[in-house]
Amino acid sequence: MTVYAKDDDRRLIPRWHWLQSEPARLEQHFGGDQGAGEPDPALAALLEESLVDWVAQKGDVVAGEICSAAILSGRLELARDAAIALKAGSPIESGIYHVAAEVLGQATKGESLGAEGIRVVIGRLRALLRDGARDPIRWTDLSRAFAIIGKLKSAKRAMLVATDLASESRAIVRAASRLLIHVDEADRAHDVLMRSRRIVVDPWVMAAEIAVTNLMGRPSEYAKNARKVIKSGRYGDRDLAELRVALGSQEIWFGNAKLGKRLLRDALVAPTENAIAQVAWFMRREYLALGVFDGDSLGSAEADAWAKRQRKEWADCLLACDRWWSIEPFSSRPSELASYIASTVSGDPDRCVEYARRGLIANPESVVLWNNLAVGYAERGLVRQAVECWRRASALDREDAFRVTLQATRGLIAFREGRYAEGRKLYEDAVALARKEGKLEVMATLHLLREEQRCGGAPTSLLAVAREATKSPDVVVATMATRLLSAEELTRSPGGE
């Protein structure tokens, strides 16, 4: 049985982009942060020289240099011809193929760069750092690349160099805080932000500090100063968007909900993608009503993924998860949601496996992703791989937080091995445990029904649960129940198999 991390909590933790990408440039432009977001002279020179070489000799080596430099500098349009040639002549499993696909905007379904493609980028950054070892932007981008492929110790080392070199860079201290949150070091993330002199004047850094402090379960002491900054008239709406959302979130959780809601509305005058995602979260939790709110049109893939899920637009939901993952490739959440939807609603174990494996690159200790990968393999008939993944998930679930899910997945594996009585007993134990814990009982029952249908029979008691589940407010549960009942109707109708 697949599962995903529930949408029960969200904080405005900073996004972390390549520092020369368009989103990072927009963030830095408004505050005048020196360094971050400005063109890297060495990268610009490499790109220009490679483009000249490309005219003279269109080889794969030159094309690779053009594509990797274009990604890091955010100038993808200059690398299009090289990327087309490189992608056409490279095997799909190669890193350079994925680099070319990224340039062409064809990196979908988990294809975006990929582990091998990121290693190409790491090689390029290391080469640049040999001649410019004191460049904090390159060190920060190197840290991000390491984080994407799950090399977290290397990511932390690179980020430490970056913060030592540029402790007053807004972009770098926010990126450092995001990395430290990713490795569950919230206290250190807070320390990085507090050590910057920007904490008392920069709305972007203040927003990050409020979010991190709230994540640790307490209100920020900078709330009063944040209100003064918002009222000062010194900053534009874009500069203030994340501060308004961070402060508004804190007010809702710890203080004046009416003021908090007003701040969230004000943030939508000129919002960032992350601000939109946070406001959309409050709307899903019914803290806030803003009428029609289209996260996609406003530019937030995360908000759009959840909106498409609620509207039962499953294919579009998966596409939005792809875009969300391209923004946060080190986050487990887009891959958790996508693998869950692919298995539970779409009935596509191949994509379930693809999404789960993608997420595990940066999150090798995710119980959810190892479990979902086990389910995908089992549904594909790859039982040995399913057992291995289930064991990994079970070993990581040290506090038994996912015991219902893992018990149900054991049942699935037993069914797919042909041990039907054992599988049925494991599922029934999972349902009983879910009933005791007050969660996942209906979902576990529906998965048992699906396996019983595969075996040629569906007990009346399970069908009764499915009929009731069609009324569930959880759209995934309701959709799965409806489809199982439709399949049952088809098999019982004249001419049905």
Side-chain angles (χ1 to χ4, degrees):
M1 179 174 77
T2 53
V3 70
Y4 67 99
K6 292 294 184 181
D7 189 35
D8 293 338
D9 193 16
R10 190 190 190 282
R11 311 290 164 159
L12 195 76
I13 304 303
R15 295 296 200 213
W16 180 11
H17 306 278
W18 301 118
L19 289 195
Q20 308 240 357
S21 68
E22 187 64 19
R25 290 185 185 189
L26 283 171
E27 176 179 326
Q28 302 318 315
H29 169 74
F30 286 90
D33 192 15
Q34 296 301 312
E38 296 299 320
D40 182 330
L43 270 177
L46 173 64
L47 185 54
E48 291 174 7
E49 291 170 9
S50 298
L51 287 168
V52 171
D53 292 341
W54 175 254
V55 173
Q57 183 177 2
K58 293 177 170 56
D60 287 352
V61 173
V62 176
E65 290 179 346
I66 291 171
C67 290
S68 57
I71 288 171
L72 290 168
S73 62
R75 303 174 70 189
L76 301 183
E77 72 284 354
L78 298 180
R80 182 171 176 79
D81 290 345
I84 291 172
L86 197 59
K87 188 168 182 281
S90 303
I92 192 169
E93 68 272 10
S94 68
I96 204 65
Y97 173 94
H98 295 293
V99 171
E102 175 78 3
V103 169
L104 295 171
Q106 298 171 356
T108 59
K109 292 178 59 181
E111 192 178 285
S112 181
L113 284 184
E116 293 306 314
I118 286 294
R119 290 187 178 97
V120 173
V121 171
I122 288 172
R124 178 62 51 215
L125 284 165
R126 280 175 160 167
L128 288 167
L129 283 166
R130 280 196 289 270
D131 296 324
R134 296 188 60 78
D135 187 324
I137 296 174
R138 295 177 194 167
W139 281 110
T140 304
D141 282 348
L142 182 62
S143 175
R144 187 179 192 270
F146 278 129
I148 291 171
I149 61 171
K151 301 292 185 182
L152 299 181
K153 289 183 179 179
S154 296
K156 288 168 67 177
R157 283 196 294 268
M159 186 60 78
L160 180 61
V161 177
T163 53
D164 284 345
L165 290 169
S167 63
E168 297 307 317
S169 165
R170 166 200 296 169
I172 290 172
V173 298
R174 280 169 54 90
S177 70
R178 180 63 183 89
L179 170 63
L180 292 167
I181 292 296
H182 180 63
V183 297
D184 295 324
E185 296 182 18
D187 287 341
R188 288 192 61 201
H190 189 257
D191 289 344
V192 167
L193 294 163
M194 291 299 294
R195 285 200 300 269
S196 172
R197 290 193 298 270
R198 284 181 171 271
I199 191 64
V200 295
V201 296
D202 190 321
W204 294 80
V205 176
M206 294 172 71
E209 189 278 332
I210 292 172
V212 172
T213 304
N214 290 176
L215 181 67
M216 295 189 290
R218 63 177 189 266
S220 169
E221 296 178 358
Y222 278 83
K224 184 176 181 180
N225 193 43
R227 294 187 196 99
K228 290 181 180 178
V229 167
I230 290 171
K231 294 177 180 178
S232 69
R234 294 174 56 199
Y235 302 97
D237 288 321
R238 176 81 177 194
D239 263 345
L240 293 174
E242 295 204 5
L243 182 58
R244 283 170 169 155
V245 171
L247 183 59
S249 301
Q250 174 166 299
E251 290 291 351
I252 290 173
W253 287 318
F254 297 103
N256 185 335
K258 184 176 180 180
L259 172 60
K261 292 175 182 180
R262 186 170 73 244
L263 286 164
L264 295 182
R265 291 188 180 92
D266 290 346
L268 294 179
V269 173
T272 64
E273 179 273 334
N274 199 16
I276 294 166
Q278 185 72 11
V279 172
W281 181 87
F282 276 108
M283 293 184 66
R284 291 195 298 278
R285 306 303 297 171
E286 298 183 354
Y287 287 104
L288 190 66
L290 294 176
V292 177
F293 185 83
D294 188 340
D296 185 24
S297 67
L298 288 173
S300 173
E302 178 185 346
D304 190 41
W306 290 107
K308 293 292 195 293
R309 174 192 178 278
Q310 193 60 32
R311 294 199 293 264
K312 304 181 185 180
E313 298 171 6
W314 306 116
D316 288 340
C317 175
L318 293 177
L319 290 174
C321 284
D322 285 328
R323 297 197 306 275
W324 178 11
W325 178 79
S326 72
I327 294 169
E328 290 197 293
F330 38 81
S331 172
S332 63
R333 293 175 68 232
S335 297
E336 288 172 353
L337 179 59
S339 59
Y340 173 71
I341 296 297
S343 170
T344 305
V345 178
S346 301
D348 190 339
D350 290 338
R351 294 188 79 181
C352 175
V353 167
E354 180 182 0
Y355 288 126
R357 290 181 62 184
R358 177 181 76 181
L360 283 166
I361 294 171
N363 300 276
E365 295 194 2
S366 169
V367 177
V368 170
L369 291 172
W370 279 114
N371 173 78
N372 291 3
L373 184 57
V375 171
Y377 278 139
E379 291 176 344
R380 288 175 60 179
L382 302 174
V383 178
R384 182 179 60 80
Q385 293 93 322
V387 171
E388 291 174 359
C389 293
W390 181 86
R391 286 175 177 163
R392 290 289 296 271
S394 298
L396 289 166
D397 188 28
R398 300 178 185 93
E399 298 180 0
D400 287 336
F402 295 94
R403 57 181 179 171
V404 171
T405 298
L406 292 170
Q407 183 82 342
T409 299
R410 279 185 65 198
L412 168 66
I413 293 171
F415 264 104
R416 299 306 170 108
E417 286 179 320
R419 296 181 287 111
Y420 304 123
E422 181 182 346
R424 190 171 295 114
K425 178 64 166 58
L426 288 166
Y427 262 119
E428 289 170 350
D429 289 347
V431 170
L433 183 59
R435 185 179 301 119
K436 183 178 178 181
E437 294 189 355
K439 61 180 181 181
L440 297 177
E441 179 184 353
V442 173
M443 186 58 83
T445 303
L446 293 177
H447 278 80
L448 172 56
L449 172 58
R450 184 160 70 176
E451 293 309 301
E452 295 286 13
Q453 286 182 333
R454 288 186 73 255
C455 296
T460 303
S461 60
L462 299 183
L463 292 171
V465 172
R467 290 189 189 95
E468 189 63 28
T470 60
K471 308 169 190 174
S472 172
D474 185 323
V475 293
V476 175
V477 171
T479 299
M480 185 178 183
T482 299
R483 292 186 178 182
L484 288 171
L485 290 171
S486 296
E488 185 68 18
E489 189 72 24
L490 180 63
T491 60
R492 292 178 183 274
S493 65
E497 298 181 1

